[in-house]
Amino acid sequence: QVQLVQSGGGLVQPGGSLRLSCAASRRTFSINNMDMYWYRQAPGKERELVATIISGDKTNYADSVKGRFTISRDNAKNTVYLQMNSLKPEDTAVYYCNARGTFINYWGQGTQVTVSS
């Protein structure tokens, strides 16, 4: 069983930055071969797709984060990142990473991001 271990959340003031990490627990599971996603879920709201990185490192973003968030991966560290800049209070949510491939659908444990002054 592969685990996706997330880190990097926390409390930040509006306009600040955070970087979320999502690392695979097993070296034989290569994030480079997976389509990787970041989702978020705010209290009382449905889970929302935030960013995607797929084969060939093509990226896509929700309109609400475009120009502020960047998804990337480090194959040597078997880790995917979400760099979040110019954070807004409406970015407050629990963020989840997700790995998908053939017969594969793994989720990270979730990490809280709170944007507040």
Side-chain angles (χ1 to χ4, degrees), residues 29-88:
F29 177 83
S30 174
I31 278 180
N32 186 47
N33 296 329
M34 298 293 116
D35 294 337
M36 299 298 300
Y37 304 82
W38 283 99
Y39 286 82
R40 68 184 180 187
Q41 188 165 19
K45 294 189 177 181
E46 292 188 355
R47 192 168 291 190
E48 172 191 19
L49 177 61
V50 174
T52 304
I53 185 165
I54 62 173
S55 59
D57 283 351
K58 296 177 184 177
T59 59
N60 197 24
Y61 300 92
D63 287 343
S64 58
V65 306
K66 204 169 289 183
R68 300 188 297 122
F69 290 12
T70 302
I71 187 171
S72 63
R73 52 182 154 201
D74 185 328
N75 297 328
K77 295 182 178 179
N78 215 16
T79 299
V80 65
Y81 301 99
L82 185 68
Q83 177 67 43
M84 304 184 294
N85 298 328
S86 302
L87 282 160
K88 305 175 180 180

Side-chain angles (χ1 to χ4, degrees), residues 73-112:
R73 52 182 154 201
D74 185 328
N75 297 328
K77 295 182 178 179
N78 215 16
T79 299
V80 65
Y81 301 99
L82 185 68
Q83 177 67 43
M84 304 184 294
N85 298 328
S86 302
L87 282 160
K88 305 175 180 180
E90 52 263 43
D91 295 317
T92 296
V94 178
Y95 285 70
Y96 299 89
C97 64
N98 174 230
R100 291 188 218 158
T102 304
F103 305 117
I104 290 172
N105 188 11
Y106 297 132
W107 289 88
Q109 81 277 17
T111 186
Q112 177 70 45

